[in-house]
C-alpha cells in the first residue's frame, strides 16, 4: 500500500510559479510511474505530467510542455511538479497518482493504482 500526500498548492498571480510535491509513504516508488493530473471545477480530470521512477523518463500534456517540469528525488521518495508561467486556466485541484506497472501508459488515468487527496492551485489574473 502506498499513501500519497501532495503539498505546495496555493494562490498565485498569473505569470507566477509554484512547486508541487508528492511524497510517498508505506513503500518507495521503486519502479512505479508517478503522474500528476488536474481537475478544474465542472471538468474532467486530465493528465498533466508523469515520470517513470526507474528510468526518469518524463511525459507531458502538450499544453504544459515548456512551462511545467516533473522531477524526482530518490532520497526523499518524492516527485515534484514545477509550474512556471502560470495562467488562470491552470486553476484546478492537482492530484498525484502512482501506477505500480513500470510499463504502463502514463497518460491513462484509469491505470493508476494510488491517488493522493489533491492540492488546490488558484491562479489569479
Amino acid at each position: 500500500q502506498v499513501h500519497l500526500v501532495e503539498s505546495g498548492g496555493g494562490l498565485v498571480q498569473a505569470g507566477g510559479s509554484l512547486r508541487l510535491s508528492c511524497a510517498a509513504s508505506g513503500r518507495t516508488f521503486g519502479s512505479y510511474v508517478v503522474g500528476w493530473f488536474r481537475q478544474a471545477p465542472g471538468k474532467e480530470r486530465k493528465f498533466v505530467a508523469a515520470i517513470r521512477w526507474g528510468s526518469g523518463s518524463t511525459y507531458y500534456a502538450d499544453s504544459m510542455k515548456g512551462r511545467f517540469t516533473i522531477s524526482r528525488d530518490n532520497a526523499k521518495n518524492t516527485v515534484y511538479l514545477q509550474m512556471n508561467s502560470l495562467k488562470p486556466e491552470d486553476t484546478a485541484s492537482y492530484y498525484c497518482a502512482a501506477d505500480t506497472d513500470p510499463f504502463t501508459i502514463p497518460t491513462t488515468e484509469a491505470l493508476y493504482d494510488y491517488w493522493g487527496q489533491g492540492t488546490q492551485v488558484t491562479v489569479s489574473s
Side-chain angles (χ1 to χ4, degrees), residues 94-111:
Y94 283 71
Y95 297 88
C96 172
D99 189 333
T100 59
D101 181 358
F103 304 107
T104 194
I105 301 171
T107 58
T108 305
E109 176 184 351
L111 298 178

Side-chain angles (χ1 to χ4, degrees), residues 44-63:
E44 295 182 350
R45 191 154 55 184
K46 292 186 177 181
F47 171 75
V48 174
I51 186 167
R52 295 191 191 274
W53 192 266
S55 67
S57 298
T58 57
Y59 308 85
Y60 297 92
D62 287 343
S63 61

Side-chain angles (χ1 to χ4, degrees), residues 57-91:
S57 298
T58 57
Y59 308 85
Y60 297 92
D62 287 343
S63 61
M64 285 71 172
K65 289 180 180 177
R67 298 193 301 127
F68 291 9
T69 302
I70 190 170
S71 62
R72 72 189 193 285
D73 185 322
N74 289 20
K76 295 183 178 180
N77 207 35
T78 298
V79 171
Y80 302 99
L81 183 68
Q82 177 68 43
M83 306 186 295
N84 299 327
S85 302
L86 284 163
K87 306 173 182 179
E89 51 264 44
D90 293 317
T91 295

Side-chain angles (χ1 to χ4, degrees), residues 4-17:
L4 304 176
V5 178
E6 303 98 333
S7 62
L11 173 64
V12 65
Q13 289 186 334
S17 299

